[in-house]
Amino acid sequence: MLQKKHRVKLTGKKLRKLNQQIFERDNYRCIVCGAYVSTEHKFHHEPCGIEKTDEMSGGVVLCDSCHRLRHDSGRLKEIKARCEEYLRSLYG
């Protein structure tokens, strides 16, 4: 029998702390193009959608441009693969 994957849903201070940790880990840089991104932005969940989880191993920094490409472009698969490869390199 398949078990449902546990997802973490943070709010408030805990979510802000996680956001800060992800930005520090990624050097405040978009992991795709290297552009600086301020912490006024929220990290991107990978995977996104219903499977997203608020954990270090599920978040990356993306600039606005790469974030748009991740969701609404012909480069969707490429950006998704870059996010997945980056996280896999860090967390296995």
Side-chain angles (χ1 to χ4, degrees):
M1 186 157 127
L2 291 175
Q3 259 190 322
K4 196 174 185 182
K5 185 180 176 196
H6 176 73
R7 293 182 316 170
V8 176
K9 177 76 171 142
L10 300 177
T11 59
K13 288 181 183 178
K14 289 181 180 180
L15 183 58
R16 285 191 298 277
K17 181 179 179 184
L18 175 64
N19 197 65
Q20 183 66 36
Q21 291 170 327
I22 289 172
F23 271 76
E24 287 174 3
R25 180 200 65 201
D26 295 349
N27 265 342
Y28 303 86
R29 301 277 173 197
C30 173
I31 64 149
V32 175
C33 72
Y36 172 80
V37 183
S38 79
T39 55
E40 294 171 355
H41 292 82
K42 186 173 181 279
F43 66 89
H44 170 75
H45 290 92
E46 192 62 55
C48 53
I50 197 163
E51 295 181 26
K52 72 182 179 184
T53 185
D54 292 334
E55 298 176 273
M56 287 286 287
S57 62
V60 296
V61 174
L62 294 179
C63 67
D64 287 340
S65 177
C66 290
H67 193 233
R68 272 191 303 281
L69 292 173
R70 167 61 183 92
H71 291 285
D72 302 317
S73 79
R75 294 185 59 201
L76 182 150
K77 289 181 182 177
E78 172 197 343
I79 304 287
K80 179 179 190 265
R82 295 276 294 271
C83 292
E84 290 171 343
E85 288 168 16
Y86 177 75
L87 290 170
R88 203 170 20 259
S89 77
L90 294 174
Y91 302 104

